[in-house]
Amino acid sequence: MERPFPTVAVVGLGTMGAGVAVAVAKSGRRVIGIEAGEDSAARALARIEEATAHAVARERLTAEERGELLARISVGHALEAAADADLVIEEVPEQLELKRELFAELDRICPPGTVLATGTTALSVTRIAAATARPERVLGLHFFNPVHTMKLVEVVRTVLTGPQVAEDAAAFARDLGKEPVAAGDRAGFVVNGLLFAYLNQAAAMYESRYATREDIDAAMRLGCGLPMGPLALLDLIGVDTARTVLEAMYEQSKDRLHAPAPILGQLVAAGLLGRKSGRGFYTYEAPGSSRMVDAVSGPARPKGPGREMNRIGVCGSGTMATGIVEVFANAGYPVVLAARSQEKAEKAKAQLAKSLERSVSRGRLTEEQRDAALALVTPAGQYADLADVDLVVEAVAEDLAVKRELFATLDKIVKPGAVLATTTSSLPVISCATATSRPQDVIGMHFFNPAPAMKLVEVVSTVLTAPDVTATVLELTAKVRKHPVECGDRAGFIVNALLFPYLNDAVRMLQEHYATVDDIDTAMKLGCGYPMGPFELLDVVGLDVSLTIEQVLHQEFREPGLAAAPLLEHLVAAGCLGRKTGRGFRDHARR
């Protein structure tokens, strides 16, 4: 079968357009590059030559392949040259009227069979198509930057786009070595529709001074495995670009979570656009540089002297409890592992021994280190054995009544001056603290699962937590080779408050039949470099756990956009909880 679109015109040869032109020429197609004016065309050709020379230096192309590729690209300034193309891809600035005028002109110039594609990231493809007399042959082709490494292409259909046109566009993307995903025409499409709401909430979180920019970015990198933190990513994308996308999203959705955070407007007004201007949320060595010059390196710093920590207690016998015990024992701290019975405590220590043995087999620990860590752990079947520890970390069921009862018990047992910490991921720390007569000594230490492997710990202070307790826990967390981030006691803390609304938005996208589970997961992995797609992650976390966290967030912030998606509620009601039940958004029973 003949490959679709043997000749392609690319109008607008900035960074994105030049990348698209090279990718198309690399596939063996003829490329007609068009820029506005002779000088701009000459600069664009130089940009393409420089990019391909760089590819040769990086051994992505041979010198011979580069020569053949450049021979397939012609660059000029006359729009009329697009008449020879089977497909025209527009990559001009993100201004609706500019794009509409261009498409009206292309419609006049190009033969009726030519397909016209817009590279818009946020504007209405339908409104752009309406400027032509061939809306059935207009669609969106949203490439991602840098084009040579990013595999994703969103193929955006309007209600008028012909099915064969969309199929040919998807085949074209595959022929470029890309992975096409089908998307309908709404602001942000799949990737930006999910990504920018999350980035906006991170900007608002920073603006409210809930956490530092470094802690927000570290939390999402270390807690979720994301390649970049949200504020650094906003600087890379461009604060002005992000604000434009969010304005377009809000215009369509009227969801307040899409209304650009005021700080974005303030930065744009001040000309602080991110890396390209040399300053945004961070300051950079020079405009265009990726090197930050004002970021605080390392984890959150203790504030003043802390309390002495020599002996640790951990309450619980589940996976999280044994993981936390392993963290402290590996760091050389004696640990009392306290459970509701001696049998449960002994069983938990046996699980710990298996985990340490796995670390030995993988070369992470020596046999001597394994034995030393295990020797530091004392299993206890009663909480009374915690009387002389300096810190107690509770890792019992995520049930407020259970936790409050435990804290009331610990208050009577544990020596004065000891720190009491909860590992809750969604409950108010202050509710645990007020079950004691010493709320100043209570703090949150939110470890992530699996605790031995995950570097992040959210250190959560309440309005009553003493400053030296916060300092103690920040220092101790760093000593056990974890990265502490500091935040206040509100629903979701940093990670869950940013992560779960994004997951909820993905569920909404699915329930509205906007895109499939596979396309959404593929889009977020390929478009953003996420280690897992949202539905993969939901099935791993557990849909019931996810629903509970969504409900807690909605209850705390009363934001309509945070209400749990009905589809999530229905799946939980049906007992489809993800991997643990064999079925969630995917069927895991036979995998």
Side-chain angles (χ1 to χ4, degrees):
M1 191 175 111
E2 188 180 334
R3 295 193 307 166
F5 313 127
T7 301
V8 178
V10 180
V11 182
L13 295 172
T15 303
M16 182 62 81
V20 171
V22 170
V24 174
K26 197 173 178 183
S27 74
R29 291 171 168 82
R30 179 187 167 211
V31 177
I32 302 165
I34 302 170
E35 258 293 349
E38 286 186 47
D39 290 346
S40 295
R43 285 194 297 272
L45 182 58
R47 198 157 41 238
I48 289 169
E49 289 172 343
E50 182 183 352
T52 52
H54 191 59
V56 172
R58 292 283 183 91
E59 299 183 347
R60 292 197 301 262
L61 283 177
T62 65
E64 184 181 355
E65 287 169 336
R66 176 178 182 258
E68 292 171 354
L69 185 155
L70 290 174
R72 289 192 286 269
I73 300 175
S74 62
V75 178
H77 65 280
L79 192 61
E80 286 72 18
D84 294 334
D86 307 293
L87 168 69
V88 181
I89 301 173
E90 161 277 305
E91 292 288 355
V92 302
E94 197 76 339
Q95 297 164 23
L96 181 61
E97 286 313 309
L98 174 64
K99 290 182 188 284
R100 281 175 53 83
E101 288 169 14
L102 173 62
F103 270 69
E105 193 65 11
L106 288 169
D107 186 44
R108 183 185 65 77
I109 291 167
C110 296
T114 303
V115 172
L116 307 180
T118 171
T120 183
T121 61
L123 300 176
S124 167
V125 179
T126 304
R127 292 178 70 181
I128 293 169
T132 76
R134 63 178 91 188
E136 73 285 352
R137 299 193 72 76
V138 178
L139 79 167
L141 279 177
H142 180 210
F143 290 82
F144 286 74
N145 200 22
V147 177
H148 69 273
T149 59
M150 298 297 280
K151 290 287 190 184
L152 183 68
V153 176
E154 290 178 315
V155 179
V156 185
R157 311 166 317 284
T158 73
V159 289
L160 295 175
T161 303
Q164 189 60 51
V165 170
E167 286 177 27
D168 288 347
F172 166 72
R174 279 190 289 270
D175 204 44
L176 300 188
K178 305 298 183 186
E179 182 79 33
V181 298
D185 182 25
R186 74 178 196 188
F189 314 135
V190 178
V191 172
N192 289 347
L194 295 177
L195 175 67
F196 279 86
Y198 148 70
L199 296 178
N200 195 39
Q201 288 171 72
M205 181 180 279
Y206 171 66
E207 185 174 22
S208 71
R209 300 188 180 182
Y210 175 67
T212 67
R213 60 190 178 175
E214 289 86 357
D215 278 358
I216 292 170
D217 279 355
M220 298 313 291
R221 283 189 295 105
L222 300 176
C224 299
L226 305 188
M228 292 184 78
L231 302 179
L233 182 54
L234 279 164
D235 276 358
L236 174 62
I237 291 167
V239 179
D240 52 339
T241 302
R243 189 166 183 270
T244 298
V245 173
L246 285 162
E247 288 284 14
M249 289 172 62
Y250 179 72
E251 185 181 344
Q252 280 193 19
S253 70
K254 297 300 186 283
D255 185 337
R256 288 191 309 217
L257 296 177
H258 296 158
I263 192 172
L264 298 178
Q266 293 157 20
L267 289 171
V268 170
L272 307 179
L273 309 181
R275 284 191 191 182
K276 60 188 173 188
S277 67
R279 187 177 163 196
F281 286 94
Y282 296 90
T283 301
Y284 299 85
E285 199 168 45
S289 169
S290 61
R291 186 169 179 270
M292 297 173 183
V293 296
D294 66 338
V296 176
S297 61
R301 283 166 169 68
K303 298 175 180 178
R307 302 180 187 181
E308 193 172 338
M309 294 281 115
N310 296 312
R311 188 171 166 83
I312 310 298
V314 176
C315 296
S317 55
T319 303
M320 182 58 80
T322 55
I324 293 168
V325 169
E326 185 172 340
V327 168
F328 283 110
N330 276 334
Y333 285 91
V335 185
V336 178
L337 196 172
R340 285 178 293 175
S341 70
Q342 190 66 34
E343 182 184 2
K344 283 183 177 291
E346 296 287 356
K347 192 174 178 181
K349 185 171 180 180
Q351 288 301 115
L352 169 63
K354 287 181 183 177
S355 179
L356 291 169
E357 187 56 47
R358 283 195 296 271
S359 294
V360 172
S361 66
R362 291 169 184 169
R364 294 174 186 157
L365 288 179
T366 65
E367 291 184 359
E368 291 77 13
Q369 288 170 324
R370 173 202 62 198
D371 294 342
L374 207 54
L376 288 168
V377 179
T378 304
Q382 54 184 9
Y383 294 135
D385 290 353
L386 298 170
D388 64 343
V389 300
D390 302 298
L391 165 72
V392 179
V393 181
E394 73 75 15
V396 298
E398 192 74 343
D399 180 307
L400 186 57
V402 171
K403 289 185 188 290
R404 280 181 57 86
E405 183 181 349
L406 174 59
F407 271 80
T409 300
L410 294 173
D411 185 38
K412 297 181 179 72
I413 293 169
V414 180
K415 68 183 181 183
V419 175
L420 306 180
T422 172
T423 59
T424 183
S425 62
S426 59
L427 300 173
V429 177
I430 192 66
S431 294
C432 296
T434 54
T436 75
S437 63
R438 50 172 121 182
Q440 72 280 0
D441 294 335
V442 178
I443 196 166
M445 284 185 81
H446 180 210
F447 287 81
F448 287 72
N449 199 22
M454 298 294 281
K455 296 290 290 181
L456 185 70
V457 176
E458 289 178 315
V459 177
V460 186
S461 300
T462 75
V463 290
L464 296 177
T465 303
D468 69 327
V469 168
T470 303
T472 298
V473 173
L474 289 171
E475 183 179 11
L476 178 64
T477 304
K479 279 183 179 177
V480 299
R481 297 185 286 280
K482 298 298 180 187
H483 187 115
V485 295
E486 187 182 356
C487 58
D489 181 25
R490 73 181 198 190
F493 312 138
I494 298 174
V495 172
N496 287 349
L498 295 178
L499 174 64
F500 281 88
Y502 149 75
L503 297 176
N504 197 46
D505 283 349
V507 179
R508 279 212 193 90
M509 194 174 271
L510 177 67
Q511 82 181 18
E512 291 164 9
H513 306 288
Y514 177 70
T516 65
V517 165
D518 288 341
D519 273 357
I520 293 170
D521 276 357
T522 298
M524 297 314 293
K525 287 190 288 185
L526 296 183
C528 298
Y530 285 10
M532 300 177 81
F535 297 109
E536 287 178 280
L537 184 54
L538 280 160
D539 277 0
V540 168
V541 170
L543 273 58
D544 51 341
V545 174
S546 303
L547 177 60
T548 297
I549 293 172
E550 281 298 336
Q551 290 169 335
V552 167
L553 289 170
H554 184 234
Q555 176 66 24
E556 175 111 329
F557 298 109
R558 309 297 172 95
E559 188 63 61
L562 294 178
L567 177 58
L568 182 61
E569 294 178 325
H570 296 164
L571 286 168
V572 171
C576 301
L577 308 183
R579 285 191 182 178
K580 60 189 172 186
T581 61
R583 186 175 172 193
F585 286 99
R586 289 186 173 87
D587 188 348
H588 303 274
R590 296 177 184 173
R591 296 191 178 193

